[in-house]
Amino acid sequence: QVTLKESGPVLVKPTETLTLTCTVSGFSLSNARMGVSWIRQPPGKALEWLAHIFWNDEKSYSTSLKSRLTISKDTSKSQVVLTMTNMDPVDTATYYCARIASRFIAGRQAYYFDYWGQGTLVTVSS
Amino acid sequence: SSELTQDPAVSVALGQTVRITCQGDSLRSYYASWYQQKPGQAPILVIYGKNNRPSGIPDRFSGSSSGNTASLTITGAQAEDEADYYCNSRDSSGNHLEFGGGTKLTVL
């Protein structure tokens, strides 16, 4: 049974650094063609992909947030950590981690988030 | 702003068929995946790849793609299908992922 669970502060102050941890079970962070993504959703707004890290340590970041994000994994602890610096009230959102799978299907690349955590609401306020 | 474009809202009569579309240049090279999100809940995957449904997703959900447009079709929409639907794929650079702006589906 695959599960993901986000943990971290519920309230951060402007300019502080946010550190979120995703603890996974039911699969290994070293499984080929799998990884973990972070995705956020401001209240009442759309989903926004932030970053991912794959089994081979390949990392990718949202272009608009790249300078503020760092993603890393600890395979032995089954954890993926996302840090976001210089938090602002516009960063108030529910932050999700999700397992991402990568497959070639009929000659084309497919990426999909097949399991999601429940999400954690982070509020940025002084 | 997203390079994947979705209609903000679509409605369908109960039991009828509805198509939700996602447009973007990257869809010529990469498959879209589709997610259903109900209020207060995490999204769930409903379609990925060419037309693949995860276990537990009803077969009234199907996916297709043509050119720069990916589509999610619900054949015989049910009241419980009322939700927000998001597409996701690689962006045009191929280096990043992104979501469409979402489509709110109302079942009348």
Side-chain angles (χ1 to χ4, degrees), chain B residues 9-21:
Chain B
V10 171
S11 61
V12 62
L14 184 67
Q16 296 304 299
T17 296
V18 62
R19 177 175 291 181
I20 299 169
T21 61

Side-chain angles (χ1 to χ4, degrees), chain A residues 39 41 45-49 52 58 60-61 63 96 100 103 105-106 108-114 116-117, chain B residues 27-31 33 35 37 41-43 45 48-50 52 65 86 88 90 95-97 99-101:
Chain A
I39 296 148
Q41 185 174 38
K45 296 190 176 180
L47 299 170
E48 179 183 16
W49 172 80
H52 69 234
E58 173 196 333
S60 184
Y61 298 98
T63 301
Y96 296 99
I100 179 170
R103 287 174 57 186
I105 302 174
R108 290 168 69 179
Q109 188 77 51
Y111 298 90
Y112 51 95
F113 308 107
D114 55 356
W116 294 65
Chain B
L27 299 177
R28 298 182 186 277
S29 304
Y30 300 100
Y31 289 115
S33 53
Y35 303 86
Q37 187 181 34
Q41 298 182 17
L45 176 67
Y48 68 97
K50 193 171 185 180
N52 300 86
S65 183
Y86 294 92
N88 179 275
R90 286 283 200 181
N95 295 322
H96 312 287
L97 292 165
F99 287 92

Side-chain angles (χ1 to χ4, degrees), chain B residues 1 14 27 58 60 75 78 85 87 94 100 107:
Chain B
S1 63
L14 184 67
L27 299 177
R60 63 179 179 270
T75 303
Q78 302 299 303
Y85 290 85
C87 62
V107 180

Side-chain angles (χ1 to χ4, degrees), chain B residues 32-55:
Chain B
S33 53
W34 290 93
Y35 303 86
Q36 177 193 72
Q37 187 181 34
K38 297 180 180 179
Q41 298 182 17
I44 63 169
L45 176 67
V46 293
I47 290 289
Y48 68 97
K50 193 171 185 180
N51 180 19
N52 300 86
R53 279 178 291 106
S55 173

